[in-house]
Each structure stands twice: as structure tokens, then as C-alpha cells.
Amino acid sequence: MKFPSLRIAAAACAVAVAATVAGCASGDDAVAQGGTFTFVSPGGKTELFYDPPSERGTVGNVSGPDLMTDGKTTSLSDFEGQVVVLNVWGQWCGPCRGEADDLEKVYENTKDMGVQFLGINVRDHTQDKAQDFVIDNKVSYPSIYDPAMRTMISLGKNYPSSVIPTTIVLDRQHRVAAVFLKELLVEDLQPIVERVAQEPQDQG
């Protein structure tokens, strides 16, 4: 399957919530930003693909408290050399509930290819409700607990923090290969994850 440079496909609109990370990057709330990715969504499209790999921007080191384990920090840098699928979600979000089974299926289907999923739980100020969501939906991959959405700063300049759910596919160098601003089905996500996982590791 071939994708043109920055292929943009129209799709259903994602659910937007009133959220912002204004002020989160100052003082003790500062997050290591880094990265070179700048988000642009021409015409409000909800599927974006970035090719060739050499032109992809990197995200910063997304990091924060592990949702399920007290005292543990989970970071993107834990998964060096792996394709990583980042999913921004909240248990209060209907589309997030709808796609949970699909994301878990894609993870199970691709993890042997060197693929890791990492959730970012946002806007859930009661942690046990988010934990119950993970247990009830049998989600086996980790999530960062980030009710204040501080980690969003690391996802890149102009990243739309008001759109939930969001899914980002990172290649093995943690460059942005695809962005989805909508609820996903297995057939939406798995072909992209497999394609990125099969890219030559010296590409770019």
C-alpha cells in the first residue's frame, strides 16, 4: 500500500471537549518538550499521514505517572526502537469507550512486530474511574495518568488538545507517521501500524 506525502483523508468528526493546556509549560508544571513535530490539519481533516519518513517530525518525551501503578513513571522513552501508538483518551468520552476494544485488538495483533501502545488518560480527575475503565475493557497496555493534560505539550506545536480521542502512530525513531482525530476501528488503524512496523529501520 502506498501513501502520498501528507495524505489527508476526510472522516467523521472527533468529539471535542472544552480543554486547554494554557499555562502548563511554566514553572514546576514545565514538561520536557523537545521534538520537531508541528501539527497542521488543513480543512479540519481527521486522518493525516506523513511520508517519506525522512520528512517526519519527532515528538518530545511524553512522560508521566502510570495510571495503574502508584509511584511508577511511564515514558515514551521506555519503548526505544519500537513503533509506538499513542492514544489520548478519557473514560468520560463516548468514542473512547467505543474504540477501546478495537485498539486492544490492534495491539494484540501487532505487538509481536515490535509495536507498543501507550495511552494518555486526560480530564479524569478521579483516578479510580479511569482505572475501572482499563479493567472493564481489558486494556493490557499502559497509560499515563494526566488529568491536567500536561503531556500534550510534548506532542508537538499546535497539537489540538481539545480533540478526544486522538491516536498518533510513531515510527521506530518516534517520528510522527500518522495522526487520527477520531474514533477508530481495527480496519482503520491496523494497516497503518503494520505498514510503519515493516518500514526499513535505516529509512530516513
Side-chain angles (χ1 to χ4, degrees), residues 70-91:
D70 290 343
K72 178 182 178 182
T73 297
T74 296
S75 304
L76 175 61
S77 60
D78 296 338
F79 311 115
E80 184 177 354
Q82 293 181 276
V83 171
V84 178
V85 179
L86 298 172
N87 177 249
V88 184
W89 65 277
Q91 61 81 27

Side-chain angles (χ1 to χ4, degrees), residues 163-181:
V163 180
I164 311 294
T166 287
T167 301
I168 307 170
V169 180
L170 305 178
D171 66 19
R172 296 186 190 278
Q173 296 182 42
H174 295 172
R175 299 171 299 189
V176 178
V179 174
F180 297 92
L181 304 174

Side-chain angles (χ1 to χ4, degrees), residues 26-37:
S26 61
D28 292 338
D29 289 337
V31 178
Q33 295 184 44
T36 59
F37 178 66

Side-chain angles (χ1 to χ4, degrees), residues 31-161:
V31 178
Q33 295 184 44
T36 59
F37 178 66
T38 298
F39 179 84
V40 179
S41 179
K45 304 302 182 184
T46 58
E47 296 184 6
L48 299 98
F49 303 92
Y50 299 87
D51 289 295
S54 61
E55 295 181 6
R56 295 172 183 163
T58 58
V59 297
N61 183 33
V62 181
S63 182
D66 188 271
L67 173 64
M68 305 300 288
T69 306
D70 290 343
K72 178 182 178 182
T73 297
T74 296
S75 304
L76 175 61
S77 60
D78 296 338
F79 311 115
E80 184 177 354
Q82 293 181 276
V83 171
V84 178
V85 179
L86 298 172
N87 177 249
V88 184
W89 65 277
Q91 61 81 27
W92 45 265
C93 161
C96 300
R97 294 193 295 271
E99 71 176 5
D101 287 350
D102 292 271
L103 296 181
E104 179 64 24
K105 287 177 184 176
V106 177
Y107 173 56
E108 292 294 335
N109 292 342
T110 61
K111 63 183 180 181
D112 289 342
M113 301 174 69
V115 175
Q116 175 64 49
F117 277 47
L118 176 60
I120 304 174
N121 173 245
V122 298
R123 309 293 288 178
D124 273 322
H125 294 282
T126 305
Q127 187 171 355
D128 59 359
K129 290 184 178 180
Q131 292 171 334
D132 288 345
F133 177 96
V134 168
I135 294 167
D136 293 345
N137 288 280
K138 299 179 174 61
V139 177
S140 63
Y141 53 85
S143 281
I144 293 169
Y145 180 56
D146 183 24
M149 303 182 76
R150 290 179 173 87
T151 56
M152 302 297 284
I153 296 171
S154 298
L155 297 183
K157 185 178 179 181
N158 301 327
Y159 200 82
S161 61

